[in-house]
Amino acid sequence: MCPDDKDLIKPRKQLIKQAIPTVFQVPNPPPSVTPSRPLPTRHNSPQNSEEHKHKKGKVADSENGNEEINQPSLDDICGERNCLTTPVIRETPRKKKLRSALNRVRVKTSRLSKRLAGAEKLVDQVKKKTELQTVIDVVSQHIKGPGLNFFITQLKLSGINKNQRRWNADMKQLCMSLYYRSPNAYKLLCKIFLLPSVKTLRRIFQDVTISTGFNHEFIHLLKTRIRSMSSRERECIVCMDEMALKAGLQYNSRTDNISGLCDFGSYTSNTSKSSVGQEALVFMARGLFSGWKQPLGYFFANTATPASVMKDLLLECISVCQSIGLNVRVVICDGGAANRRVFKSLDISIENPYFYHLNKKIFGMFDPPHLLKCMRNNLQRHNYLIEGETCSWDHISRMQQLDSEKTYGLRSCPKLTKRHITLPEFSRMKVKTAAQVLSHSVSSALYMYAFEQKIPLGAIHTANFVKLMDNLFDCFNSSSLDSPKVFRRALRDNSQHFEFLRYMFAYIEGIQMVENERVLRNPPTFGGWRLTINSLLQLWLHIKETDGGIWYLCTRNLNQDCLENFFSLIRQKGGFAYNPTPRQFEDRFKQCYIKSFLTASESANCEVDFDTFLLDVSRLVDMKKQCRRQNNRVPVNSSDPTVIDPVEHYIPMADNNDDNIQKNVLAYVAGFVSRSYLQKHNCNHCRNQLVEENADYDAARGSEKTLLFFKGYDEIDGDFGGLTVPSSSFYKFMQQCEDVFYENFPKTMNLPGVASRICELLQQQCDCTWFNAYEETCSLKPIMQFYVKMRIYYAIKFFNHEIGSLPRRMKNKKHLILQHL
């Protein structure tokens, strides 16, 4: 650019006015895009060539300064472009044919590529399934049941999009149980495992509508399931009970209804339609010979349900059960006034404890656990006069007081505490405390204390009454064909139950309740027991007449514990609510209803909640934990003045005197310890040194074997009813162990390695020369370790009982709840 042209310079990204477009010589320009423009042609005429050369020469002269610059016009530029364009090449038939063949090859190649990709994907899936099946086959040898189902689900759903996962009914049931047990814990598990979302679980209940009454939609589904059940599995009972609610109304926008009003279905009277529901009446069916249960329906009542309405609802419930294929044998309820009126309106009496409905004979019973609890409560308030002899609660109270004098001493009734005697707050309502008081252990202890003249001799009659009530409750609590206690075995032909039940039927009739030598009116509990006993006797005869294939009956199914546990589940849902509102009850009833409907596994056992511990907790001590490492033992110096007793300042320590009570209890404990050791170490040589075979009580009358004699079961041969009697040498050795433990436990309880320290002291201070080891495995060391662990457990347990009996500053939580209702 020459210096004269500097005035023409403009800022960047702007064209000057005299700008000339640059023309590129494109060898094959694109065709025209508009149909109106003519096809471009190449101009090769000499005239055009000469004009082009002439113009080129002018440009060259202008560059040399010979001529002024002439700006080209728009026509010149367009003409220049037209001269350089070439015509579009037309397609020939040969080219069309080749291009069509090429397209067909491309389509075929694409299709084959897709088929190959699909085949490779299928091979990968088959390979993955084969690997998964191999892993499942290996794992199934070690894991069974729900754990295996959970493991398989995690394997199959790994790598699948969360929106494409599908869950089976068992997995949904497991996840619902986890979620309603603890929502926060379930959310944490969702971050670790592949689990359904909370929304998925809630979606199960959205389309389900369960209202007051018998839900016919679910009844129809139950009918489909019952078709696959055998005739024996269809035998069932119907139980009914009421649950207290917190009054309150709530509007349900989904159903456009107000929940919480009194509702008995078609039996609702005009006066009760506007009443607020404060009681929930629930009906439930339960298998008589199999372990299943199913709630059928519920109703809201303002107060206790009227007997006439309850009767109509009961008959409707029985009709519904029979319409879906169930065979109702028994109706069970508690001994409330309304229930007694219902039985009376159905013509159920002590002599004829049954009624007919739809040509079916149905028996009526009162709940045995409730009857046992009422017998205990009446005995605490008043005395019983039986055949001229008095049974008093004072005998049991005095025995428990003497038995618990020593904080760390041995006790004949380790489960009996002061709460069993005073029955504070809600202890009176618990059946468990009643069963522990009216038990075989308490009866044996009363016999022993009366025999040793520690309590009045009249306590023998109280002990006899307690023993009979324990056997009677066992008759209604049998769950197996084999049990150490004869009356806890299932009912069979020619068993001892029938003779005993007939005896108790007459025995209870002769009981009188007295107060200050004044005979009181007998409570309804006595008549309830007699009606229930006669109903069980006639029920067995009726079952044998109608179904000869049934040869035993487990009487544990003849109660309403399933309904009580169902109420506890409702209270636990969504946090503890002892008295839920009607709307909360409806929602939780629906959850429990569906959950119980989904759990239809044949291996499911509904009786797990009702099983009780029959033996002492010390039997659960693991023998494998007895052997400690040698380097964990701490040398002991019993004379160390720095060892103090942390509880000595408020619980006085009694002297370990050699009274007959402690000797009898120690003999029972020694027999238990020797039996536990011989179960792990089966050696005849050790058995001869630890156990006294064929022991005779007459030869040892008045000795330390009195408790063993009364503690043994009468049904088992031998004076001691199958209990293990320790030898004299082993009994003396256990006396030395007890003395060492009782003296040193308060001194070592605040030090590390308590059991190891006491075992070291036993080895140092006890005489072990009487025991001859026949083999290397024969030793007294495991016996001492087991004994020390058992004694520490019971010493801590008794100490906690003493603490629990002290006055409390904090009020009972349940009492506070009832105050704010």
Side-chain angles (χ1 to χ4, degrees):
M1 183 180 294
C2 60
D4 297 336
D5 298 331
K6 293 182 179 180
D7 297 335
L8 301 176
I9 298 176
K10 296 294 182 180
R12 294 185 62 184
K13 299 183 181 180
Q14 292 184 4
L15 297 176
I16 60 177
K17 296 181 180 180
Q18 296 82 5
I20 300 174
T22 304
V23 180
F24 296 94
Q25 297 181 0
V26 182
N28 189 15
S32 60
V33 296
T34 58
S36 61
R37 183 179 299 178
L39 293 174
T41 57
R42 186 179 296 277
H43 301 280
N44 295 327
S45 61
Q47 182 180 0
N48 294 337
S49 300
E50 291 179 359
E51 292 179 358
H52 180 68
K53 290 180 180 180
H54 178 70
K55 292 180 180 179
K56 185 176 182 181
K58 288 184 178 181
V59 173
D61 293 338
S62 64
E63 291 179 357
N64 295 330
N66 297 330
E67 191 176 356
E68 295 182 358
I69 300 175
N70 295 325
Q71 299 294 335
S73 63
L74 182 61
D75 296 336
D76 296 337
I77 295 174
C78 294
E80 186 70 20
R81 284 187 177 181
N82 292 333
C83 294
L84 298 176
T85 56
T86 58
V88 178
I89 301 175
R90 299 179 181 274
E91 290 188 357
T92 62
R94 178 175 173 273
K95 290 181 179 180
K96 290 182 179 180
K97 183 177 181 180
L98 292 175
R99 185 172 285 109
S100 177
L102 180 61
N103 290 336
R104 288 196 298 269
V105 172
R106 288 176 179 174
V107 171
K108 186 175 182 180
T109 304
S110 177
R111 291 177 179 175
L112 291 176
S113 299
K114 292 181 180 179
R115 291 180 63 183
L116 179 61
E120 291 178 352
K121 185 177 180 180
L122 182 61
V123 171
D124 293 339
Q125 292 178 355
V126 173
K127 184 178 179 180
K128 184 178 179 180
K129 288 183 179 180
T130 305
E131 294 176 353
L132 289 178
Q133 189 61 37
T134 304
V135 175
I136 292 172
D137 294 340
V138 175
V139 174
S140 60
Q141 299 177 1
H142 306 280
I143 304 177
K144 303 293 183 182
L148 179 61
N149 183 29
F150 179 82
F151 180 79
I152 294 174
T153 303
Q154 298 298 307
L155 288 180
K156 291 183 176 181
L157 297 181
S158 60
I160 300 179
N161 191 335
K162 63 178 182 179
N163 296 326
Q164 298 178 354
R165 297 169 186 165
R166 297 297 179 263
W167 313 95
N168 54 28
D170 294 336
M171 193 66 184
K172 290 179 181 178
Q173 164 62 23
L174 175 62
C175 294
M176 281 193 298
S177 300
L178 292 175
Y179 176 74
Y180 288 111
R181 178 65 61 180
S182 177
N184 292 332
Y186 182 78
K187 294 177 182 178
L188 177 62
L189 292 176
C190 288
K191 299 178 181 179
I192 304 174
F193 302 103
L194 300 178
L195 300 176
S197 63
V198 177
K199 186 177 180 180
T200 302
L201 298 180
R202 291 177 177 174
R203 194 180 298 118
I204 301 175
F205 303 104
Q206 288 181 356
D207 299 332
V208 178
T209 303
I210 298 180
S211 58
T212 54
F214 301 106
N215 192 287
H216 295 284
E217 179 181 356
F218 276 86
I219 295 299
H220 179 72
L221 296 178
L222 285 174
K223 182 178 182 179
T224 304
R225 176 167 296 174
I226 291 171
R227 290 175 183 173
S228 60
M229 299 170 60
S230 62
S231 59
R232 185 176 181 181
E233 293 175 340
R234 297 183 184 185
E235 302 286 340
C236 69
I237 67 172
V238 171
C239 49
M240 58 181 180
D241 198 5
E242 291 182 331
M243 175 181 174
L245 301 177
K246 183 178 180 180
L249 302 179
Q250 190 169 357
Y251 174 70
N252 189 348
S253 59
R254 292 180 60 89
T255 60
D256 194 22
N257 291 325
I258 297 177
S259 60
L261 295 173
C262 181
D263 188 0
F264 295 116
S266 59
Y267 306 102
T268 307
S269 60
N270 295 328
T271 57
S272 60
K273 285 183 178 180
S274 59
S275 302
V276 181
Q278 298 183 6
E279 298 284 341
L281 176 64
V282 181
F283 291 88
M284 175 176 284
R286 181 184 188 183
L288 183 58
F289 299 100
S290 56
W292 62 268
K293 59 182 178 181
Q294 183 63 45
L296 300 174
Y298 66 94
F299 302 88
F300 289 148
N302 179 254
T303 55
T305 307
S308 59
V309 176
M310 188 180 296
K311 173 187 174 182
D312 295 335
L313 294 176
L314 175 62
L315 296 179
E316 182 180 354
C317 179
I318 296 174
S319 300
V320 169
C321 291
Q322 294 183 354
S323 65
I324 61 178
L326 295 176
N327 186 16
V328 180
R329 293 281 192 175
V330 186
V331 174
I332 297 180
C333 58
D334 56 26
N339 296 329
R340 296 197 304 270
R341 288 194 292 269
V342 170
F343 277 15
K344 185 177 180 180
S345 62
L346 293 173
D347 295 333
I348 296 177
S349 61
I350 297 177
E351 293 75 16
N352 299 315
Y354 55 84
F355 67 98
Y356 289 92
H357 182 66
L358 299 178
N359 298 326
K360 293 284 186 178
K361 191 175 184 179
I362 302 174
F363 291 86
M365 287 186 181
F366 293 112
D367 186 36
H370 279 77
L371 294 175
L372 183 71
K373 179 181 62 178
C374 293
M375 290 293 289
R376 188 275 317 269
N377 295 340
N378 291 325
L379 179 61
Q380 189 209 22
R381 299 189 187 97
H382 313 283
N383 295 334
Y384 288 163
L385 186 63
I386 306 174
E387 298 179 355
E389 303 295 341
T390 303
C391 299
S392 176
W393 184 263
D394 295 336
H395 298 153
I396 301 176
S397 176
R398 179 58 180 166
M399 184 272 297
Q400 190 276 333
Q401 182 180 0
L402 294 174
D403 201 43
S404 59
E405 282 184 349
K406 298 181 180 180
T407 304
Y408 303 116
L410 296 172
R411 299 186 183 183
S412 58
C413 296
K415 293 184 179 181
L416 203 63
T417 63
K418 187 176 292 185
R419 296 180 64 88
H420 291 77
I421 304 302
T422 58
L423 298 177
E425 292 101 15
F426 287 83
S427 298
R428 190 181 301 274
M429 301 172 59
K430 294 183 178 180
V431 182
K432 178 181 178 181
T433 57
Q436 290 176 345
V437 171
L438 303 178
S439 64
H440 178 72
S441 298
V442 174
S443 174
S444 303
L446 288 172
Y447 280 128
M448 181 189 65
Y449 274 89
F451 185 81
E452 299 294 339
Q453 298 181 0
K454 299 293 182 180
I455 58 177
L457 192 61
I460 294 178
H461 305 291
T462 305
N464 186 37
F465 169 77
V466 172
K467 182 178 180 180
L468 291 175
M469 292 306 302
D470 176 70
N471 293 336
L472 178 61
F473 187 65
D474 287 343
C475 291
F476 288 91
N477 196 33
S478 61
S479 59
S480 63
L481 295 174
D482 189 14
S483 175
K485 303 180 71 174
V486 172
F487 296 112
R488 190 168 285 180
R489 301 171 187 172
L491 238 67
R492 289 182 291 184
D493 290 335
N494 301 324
S495 62
Q496 301 181 18
H497 297 79
F498 305 105
E499 182 179 357
F500 176 75
L501 289 173
R502 296 187 186 96
Y503 171 78
M504 290 302 298
F505 183 82
Y507 177 83
I508 295 176
E509 185 181 9
I511 299 178
Q512 293 179 335
M513 197 165 57
V514 297
E515 182 179 5
N516 298 328
E517 299 182 357
R518 182 172 60 90
V519 179
L520 303 177
R521 181 181 178 182
N522 286 344
T525 305
F526 296 170
W529 266 120
R530 300 182 67 227
L531 185 147
T532 304
I533 291 172
N534 194 19
S535 179
L536 178 59
L537 293 173
Q538 297 193 31
L539 172 65
W540 175 252
L541 296 177
H542 181 66
I543 291 176
K544 296 296 292 183
E545 292 176 358
T546 56
D547 191 348
I550 298 176
W551 57 280
Y552 74 94
L553 172 63
C554 293
T555 56
R556 179 172 288 188
N557 293 337
L558 295 174
N559 55 48
Q560 61 177 19
D561 286 349
C562 58
L563 196 53
E564 297 292 343
N565 283 274
F566 185 75
F567 288 159
S568 66
L569 289 177
I570 291 178
R571 295 186 179 101
Q572 293 174 8
K573 294 295 180 184
F576 181 79
Y578 193 79
N579 295 106
T581 62
R583 178 61 186 275
Q584 291 175 341
F585 179 87
E586 289 180 344
D587 294 339
R588 298 170 187 180
F589 183 91
K590 181 170 64 174
Q591 295 172 11
C592 298
Y593 191 101
I594 296 177
K595 286 178 62 179
S596 61
F597 181 78
L598 291 176
T599 53
S601 176
E602 295 180 357
S603 60
N605 187 6
C606 297
E607 298 294 333
V608 174
D609 295 338
F610 317 135
D611 293 340
T612 57
F613 292 99
L614 305 182
L615 305 176
D616 294 338
V617 184
S618 59
R619 297 180 182 268
L620 301 179
V621 177
D622 190 2
M623 298 294 290
K624 295 181 180 180
K625 296 182 180 179
Q626 294 177 356
C627 299
R628 294 287 185 183
R629 296 179 179 179
Q630 297 293 333
N631 54 5
N632 289 337
R633 297 179 180 177
V634 183
V636 181
N637 184 9
S638 59
S639 61
D640 189 359
T642 60
V643 178
I644 60 174
D645 183 11
V647 297
E648 192 177 25
H649 61 280
Y650 77 96
I651 296 182
M653 299 295 297
D655 296 334
N656 190 14
N657 53 0
D658 296 333
D659 57 354
N660 291 333
I661 299 297
Q662 288 296 309
K663 289 181 179 180
N664 280 273
V665 178
L666 183 60
Y668 176 77
V669 173
F672 166 70
V673 171
S674 61
R675 181 175 181 176
S676 301
Y677 173 73
L678 294 175
Q679 287 178 351
K680 300 292 183 180
H681 179 72
N682 190 8
C683 176
N684 294 329
H685 183 75
C686 295
R687 183 181 299 275
N688 295 332
Q689 297 184 80
L690 300 177
V691 178
E692 181 181 351
E693 300 289 348
N694 300 324
D696 187 9
Y697 178 71
D698 293 334
R701 185 180 297 273
S703 63
E704 66 278 356
K705 298 176 181 143
T706 303
L707 181 61
L708 284 170
F709 175 76
F710 290 115
K711 194 84 171 179
Y713 297 136
D714 299 337
E715 300 83 8
I716 302 178
D717 295 336
D719 290 345
F720 299 98
L723 297 179
T724 302
V725 180
S727 63
S728 58
S729 301
F730 183 65
Y731 173 75
K732 293 178 181 178
F733 172 75
M734 292 300 297
Q735 275 186 321
Q736 297 175 7
C737 293
E738 177 63 21
D739 294 339
V740 173
F741 177 86
Y742 192 85
E743 179 181 358
N744 293 277
F745 177 70
K747 302 176 183 179
T748 59
M749 64 183 301
N750 59 342
L751 299 177
V754 180
S756 301
R757 291 174 180 270
I758 297 179
C759 287
E760 291 287 345
L761 290 174
L762 294 181
Q763 295 178 11
Q764 297 173 8
Q765 302 181 18
C766 296
D767 182 18
C768 301
T769 57
W770 61 274
F771 185 78
N772 297 322
Y774 183 74
E775 298 177 354
E776 294 181 357
T777 56
C778 300
S779 175
L780 291 176
K781 184 178 178 180
I783 294 178
M784 290 187 287
Q785 292 175 342
F786 177 75
Y787 172 75
V788 169
K789 291 180 180 295
M790 181 192 68
R791 288 293 287 115
I792 290 177
Y793 166 79
Y794 276 104
I796 297 300
K797 180 179 179 180
F798 299 152
F799 175 68
N800 293 334
H801 289 169
E802 295 292 340
I803 295 178
S805 62
L806 296 177
R808 296 183 180 182
R809 296 181 180 179
M810 183 182 298
K811 294 183 178 180
N812 187 275
K813 293 183 179 180
K814 292 184 178 180
H815 182 64
L816 293 177
I817 293 174
L818 294 178
Q819 284 182 340
H820 292 83
L821 289 180

